[in-house]
Amino acid sequence: MKGLLFQSLSKKNRLLILGVGLILVAVYVIPIWSISISAPQYPEGLGMHIWISKITGATPYDLKNINLLNHYIGMQEIVSESIPELLFMPYVLGYLIFGALITGLYPKVGMAILGIINLIIVGIVGLADFWRWEYNYGHNLNPDAPIIVEGMAYQPPLLGCKEMLNITACSYPSYGGIILGLSLIVLVYILWDEKQRKKSNVV
Amino acid sequence: MNKKTNLILITLGIVVLSIIPNCKKGAATATLASDAASRVYVAPGEKDEVYAFLSGGFSGQMSVYGIPSARLFKIIPVFSVFPENGYGFDEETKDMLKTTHGYVPWDDSHHVEASMTDGKQDGRWMFLNANNTPRLARIDLKSFETKEILEIPNTAGNHASPFATENTEYLMAATRFSVPVPQASVPIDSFSKGGFKGTVTMVKVDKNTGRLSIELQVLVPGFDYDLSHCGKKKSHDWCFFSSYNSEQAHKMLEVGASKKDKDFILAFNWVRAKECKDQGKAYNFGGEYVNNFREENKPAVSTKLSGVKMLNPKDCPGMMYYMPTPKSPHGTDVDSTGEYIVGGGKLASVIPVHSFSKMIEVKDKKEHHSTEIDGIPVLKYESTLAGEVQKPCLGPLHTEFDGQGYAYTSCFVSSEVVKWKLGTWEVVQHLPAYYSVGHLSIVGGSSTEPYGKYLIAMNKITKDRFLPVGMELPQSAQLYDISSGKAELLSDFPTVGEPHYSQMIPAKLIMDKTAKLYPLEENKHPYATKTENEAKIVKLGSTTHIYMTAIRSHFKPDIIEARTGETLYFHVTNLEQDYDIPHGFAIGGAPNMTNLLIMPGETRTFKWVAPKPGVYPFYCTDFCSALHQEMQQYIRVSP
């Protein structure tokens, strides 16, 4: 095991890791997650994108209109400024990219494993945090809201679709999220590949 | 009645009787397509294929229908006030209806013209004439709103208007009622002595902004100029105006103006006219007029202008020719190739067709001139004639073209549309119309590339067609499918106002370009309030400005205090940025003001003088949300 940790990465895998670092840069400029909303009065749909550092509407006006709909049920206004995580998330991403670059200079399997652990932690913490925000938005409603439905909460789904009153909300990873997922898969592949290589070297 | 009139009527009677048997035959060939219902049925959620823009006649408005379903989509107020959305009432739009005669909140709107590029409809603007108080309007097809109105001076009855040149370089506008130019109190019988004049006006259209301006007027003999159409392709430089009352009768026109066997189609070379103007041959002439322009989401700006460049035909040889045309021609329609100019002689028993090439060939050859009127050569009828459609119907008025070599002419007296072939001049089909058809319109029918699938006939009378609704029966139009060899009647439908003329445009040219909202960040209205935090009340002496916002489902500020006699301006900004979410605004009992209908991101102003003490509710009139009914508040007026 120790041998594997300090085994140097093959040239191909080294390049793959640098590739992961490079492609992760794109996550700064594309959304990670998307929530889309459809309702009878919105046949064209409304959408919301979660980026590494902000929350926007799918069109320039969608977020405003989602908030307008939400105000009837007393949901707090969704604005990037109210979510402090968005302030340090770019640094977390920076750390991951930095890790990939360091691995390029110090190409050991252990670094790839560290990358896997980092990505899994970021993923789990990120999703848990996302769920917590969704929970708070969906449950902490203004008691003076115009529309109050007894026992009704408006927490959007973490993944998949959910119907709430006349609205169907769907939540899925966007391109940035897919890139993060792919990065993880690539790292796992590298680990597997290195393991195979070690085996064949021993033999 | 004198002997002479009797004779004329008897002659006319004989003519009428001799034509009727031919027309009866026409009715027999009429068909109602058996599957007509399915061909006009547009299923829920499906879209129509064509936009039809119908002028409103004496309603002064323009209406928008979907074809083939004939569903009414919208009424666009142009020359008439519109209480539904405050047009002509609020501070933004009331100046649109300013004229040199003051505020004129009505007109008689006859002709719709579509903007064109290279002779093809481009879906940018519609133009509409005001016949009564001579004006011309531009309607923007992004917002479907009237953006500009230009008054035409030195004219009366702006009827032969607004007809566009091939690239919408100019719109033509000509006098229906000749009058003393400049205006003066002269004996009416001086009309017969040439004391009355007409004008042809070239209105320039800025090709980027659409802004209208008067380029030039031409002083023409005092006939009644009825309709116009401009040339295409080879006849690009020319516009053609029909005229009646070349007799210059001044009383009992129905007899006096119907005496001569032929009146005229005036051929006008507008390129030559511009050339003469540029050579300094036009002179400064008086004439006050008003130009009203409403920029996106801003109050209309009304500008008073004075003076035009005037040109006399005799100072610009080669600019104008008269082509004799039987008899009191209404339509003067140029086919899609630009070669044929079809006259619609209201009282004629033939449809005369002039050849543009022949006209060009003979126009400056003396042997083809019969006389000259005020410097305008009169060409011989036979010299320019391409052919005549013999005994087509009674009362041919107006012709459009399908691009397949066929022409369709509306016939008022015999209530039918006749289809005939260009070149052979043979009638191939009679289509009954119910009843008394005026204009007709084919999709793209006056352009160089007709889309040619649908034709609508716009009728004046609807006896027995619909459920009676009192003495004034519905106005109506009829839809025909002309895509196959034999035209078929598909449906008839009631319309708003008198459907006088129309332009039909394939939906795909317009539907994806329509505006959805006014972006708030681009709102440059001087009284815009872009966030609720900026909502405020500013008192300036006895005038108060209320910077108000409207959003689902409240106004801000929502409680307003005022004193009797105080003038309040409610500048209401709709903060919504959502498609199809306008808010309304109305105050209980407000005199001289109706309603505002404020589009998303738009600002409009309601002027209100605080009446006697009391509490007055104001509220949103457009059902905006589940809490629309709660979108209401109060103004308290104290002594």
Side-chain angles (χ1 to χ4, degrees), chain B residues 343-518:
Chain B
K346 299 193 289 279
L347 309 171
S349 56
V350 296
I351 299 173
V353 183
H354 296 284
S355 154
F356 176 74
S357 341
K358 278 193 175 176
M359 186 201 90
I360 290 296
E361 201 184 304
V362 306
K363 69 184 172 60
D364 295 317
K365 294 182 179 153
K366 282 276 181 237
E367 64 271 27
H368 292 284
H369 293 192
S370 59
T371 176
E372 194 177 288
I373 304 171
D374 293 357
I376 304 172
V378 179
L379 307 177
K380 287 182 179 158
Y381 179 59
E382 291 73 21
S383 299
T384 59
L385 195 70
E388 286 174 339
V389 183
Q390 296 296 329
K391 295 186 181 175
C393 59
L394 295 183
L397 285 186
H398 166 231
T399 303
E400 293 221 344
F401 309 90
D402 66 358
Q404 311 293 320
Y406 292 96
Y408 293 76
T409 301
S410 59
C411 303
F412 184 84
V413 179
S414 54
S415 287
E416 63 183 321
V417 173
V418 290
K419 177 181 178 180
W420 52 275
K421 193 160 173 49
L422 286 155
T424 69
W425 325 118
E426 271 170 332
V427 173
V428 296
Q429 198 183 355
H430 290 264
L431 287 147
Y434 308 104
Y435 303 95
S436 301
V437 53
H439 279 270
L440 49 75
S441 169
I442 288 176
V443 188
S446 57
S447 74
T448 55
E449 268 184 12
Y451 175 77
K453 181 165 174 186
Y454 295 110
L455 179 150
I456 57 175
M458 286 156 275
N459 308 325
K460 308 301 176 201
I461 291 172
T462 56
K463 284 173 188 170
D464 89 1
R465 297 303 287 178
F466 304 106
L467 284 177
V469 285
M471 288 165 277
E472 157 78 339
L473 295 180
Q475 302 283 325
S476 95
Q478 275 171 318
L479 177 68
Y480 300 87
D481 182 337
I482 57 165
S483 58
S484 60
K486 200 167 188 186
E488 292 169 305
L489 177 65
L490 294 181
S491 75
D492 49 9
F493 58 100
T495 62
V496 180
E498 185 213 353
H500 202 95
Y501 183 37
S502 117
Q503 289 284 327
M504 293 198 283
I505 301 188
K508 62 177 191 311
L509 263 175
I510 298 175
M511 60 187 288
D512 296 328
K513 293 187 210 155
T514 56
K516 291 186 161 67
L517 45 82
Y518 291 110

Side-chain angles (χ1 to χ4, degrees), chain B residues 34-53:
Chain B
S34 57
D35 59 343
S38 69
R39 281 149 70 185
V40 299
Y41 181 69
V42 177
E46 298 288 314
K47 308 276 194 304
D48 276 287
E49 198 177 329
V50 165
Y51 283 98
F53 297 85

Side-chain angles (χ1 to χ4, degrees), chain A residues 55-72:
Chain A
I55 292 180
T56 63
T59 77
Y61 309 113
D62 277 11
L63 192 59
K64 176 173 175 154
N65 291 324
I66 289 170
N67 282 326
L68 261 171
L69 286 180
N70 288 345
H71 101 276
Y72 289 117

